[in-house]
Amino acid sequence: MNYDDVIKSSKVVLVEFYASWCPHCQRMMPIVEQIKELLSGTVEIYQFDIDQNSAAADAVGAESVPTFIIYRDGKEVWRESGEMDGQVLLSKIQSFI
């Protein structure tokens, strides 16, 4: 599945660019997993390792990790980089559903 298909796979899609060596990304992993479970069937969530998906990261300008991007109907509607509170991220996603 290419990146274009990913962002159009559901009405609302969250994409996270992360790196295995990034401590902030590691702290966000369980939070993203929880959100995935909570929103299962409503929102598609994709995680891309920036080292293995550098072309996609470059294409969307994801320069720091973690970078979270929310797409609605295939269009970017929100973007934030860095560690954040899980409730903040969840609320942001829900605001686009």
Side-chain angles (χ1 to χ4, degrees):
M1 184 181 283
N2 70 29
Y3 195 80
D4 216 36
D5 293 336
V6 163
I7 65 173
K8 293 176 179 164
S9 64
S10 178
K11 184 164 182 60
V12 178
V13 177
L14 171 69
V15 173
E16 176 193 11
F17 285 97
Y18 72 95
S20 56
W21 44 262
C22 162
H24 302 292
C25 301
Q26 290 165 359
R27 286 194 287 275
M28 289 303 296
M29 281 295 173
I31 294 168
V32 173
E33 282 307 312
Q34 276 185 316
I35 291 173
K36 230 184 226 185
E37 285 176 31
L38 282 169
L39 299 178
S40 175
T42 311
V43 174
E44 290 293 327
I45 298 177
Y46 294 93
Q47 294 166 289
F48 293 100
D49 185 318
I50 202 162
D51 294 322
Q52 295 169 5
N53 298 280
S54 57
D58 290 347
V60 298
E63 294 171 4
S64 58
V65 287
T67 292
F68 298 94
I69 306 171
I70 298 174
Y71 294 91
R72 185 160 190 229
D73 298 321
K75 300 202 176 4
E76 182 178 325
V77 290
W78 180 83
R79 174 189 296 233
E80 189 73 45
S81 294
E83 205 172 326
M84 69 185 75
D85 182 87
Q87 196 55 52
V88 171
L89 182 57
L90 180 62
S91 297
K92 190 49 78 173
I93 297 165
Q94 289 173 324
S95 73
F96 293 106
I97 296 174

